[in-house]
Amino acid sequence: MDEIKTPCLLYDEQCPLCKRFAQSLQRIHLKTKIHYYSIYNEEVYKQLPFLNKDEVFDEVHLILAANKSAVLRGSHAVQFLASENPAVKKFAWLIESEMGQKAMDVFYTGLNKCRKTLHARCPKCKNRKRISL
């Protein structure tokens, strides 16, 4: 039973899109070291009991610290990760603007819709049952 370290990104290791996203993040240099855990790792829910498993399965979660108030979800998690990449610093003004935040929301919403469509079409995913807490 290894300790779940924060900050950490919870991702769907059985989704090709999510897996590629996590692998890409692991290859770039971020200002903050991020740990990566599968949403299927039951230890995550034992050690971070404030997480709602259905919500974690529904959208990306970035846990900054081991408490409920330090959780970024969806486009907010993507925005944080983008801001942690030194190469993106040149465009920080765009991400931080109101229009940039709306663009990130639209981008994330479309990406998450694509992920859900992939799950719905995949026979392996449709037949897989989640383990409830």
Side-chain angles (χ1 to χ4, degrees), residues 12-46:
D12 185 346
E13 70 180 350
Q14 296 179 8
C15 169
L17 197 60
C18 299
K19 192 172 184 176
R20 293 281 289 191
F21 177 66
Q23 288 171 340
S24 296
L25 283 173
Q26 290 171 343
R27 289 186 188 120
I28 61 175
H29 175 70
L30 299 175
K31 290 187 280 184
T32 303
K33 178 172 174 42
I34 305 289
H35 303 274
Y36 299 85
Y37 299 103
S38 169
I39 61 175
Y40 302 100
N41 180 345
E42 290 299 319
E43 201 56 42
V44 168
Y45 306 102
K46 288 177 185 171

Side-chain angles (χ1 to χ4, degrees), residues 2-95:
D2 291 334
E3 178 186 352
I4 300 297
K5 296 177 184 169
T6 56
C8 65
L9 180 76
L10 305 180
Y11 72 100
D12 185 346
E13 70 180 350
Q14 296 179 8
C15 169
L17 197 60
C18 299
K19 192 172 184 176
R20 293 281 289 191
F21 177 66
Q23 288 171 340
S24 296
L25 283 173
Q26 290 171 343
R27 289 186 188 120
I28 61 175
H29 175 70
L30 299 175
K31 290 187 280 184
T32 303
K33 178 172 174 42
I34 305 289
H35 303 274
Y36 299 85
Y37 299 103
S38 169
I39 61 175
Y40 302 100
N41 180 345
E42 290 299 319
E43 201 56 42
V44 168
Y45 306 102
K46 288 177 185 171
Q47 293 185 33
L48 305 172
F50 55 86
L51 291 173
N52 178 309
K53 198 172 196 180
D54 288 332
E55 290 175 0
V56 171
F57 272 75
D58 193 46
E59 64 182 342
V60 67
H61 277 58
L62 179 67
I63 294 86
L64 300 175
N67 64 61
K68 190 175 186 171
S69 64
V71 177
L72 298 176
R73 298 169 41 176
S75 63
H76 296 290
V78 175
Q79 280 179 281
F80 177 86
L81 292 167
S83 71
E84 288 292 297
N85 182 343
V88 177
K89 189 174 186 175
K90 298 172 195 171
F91 306 102
W93 62 271
L94 180 61
I95 293 171

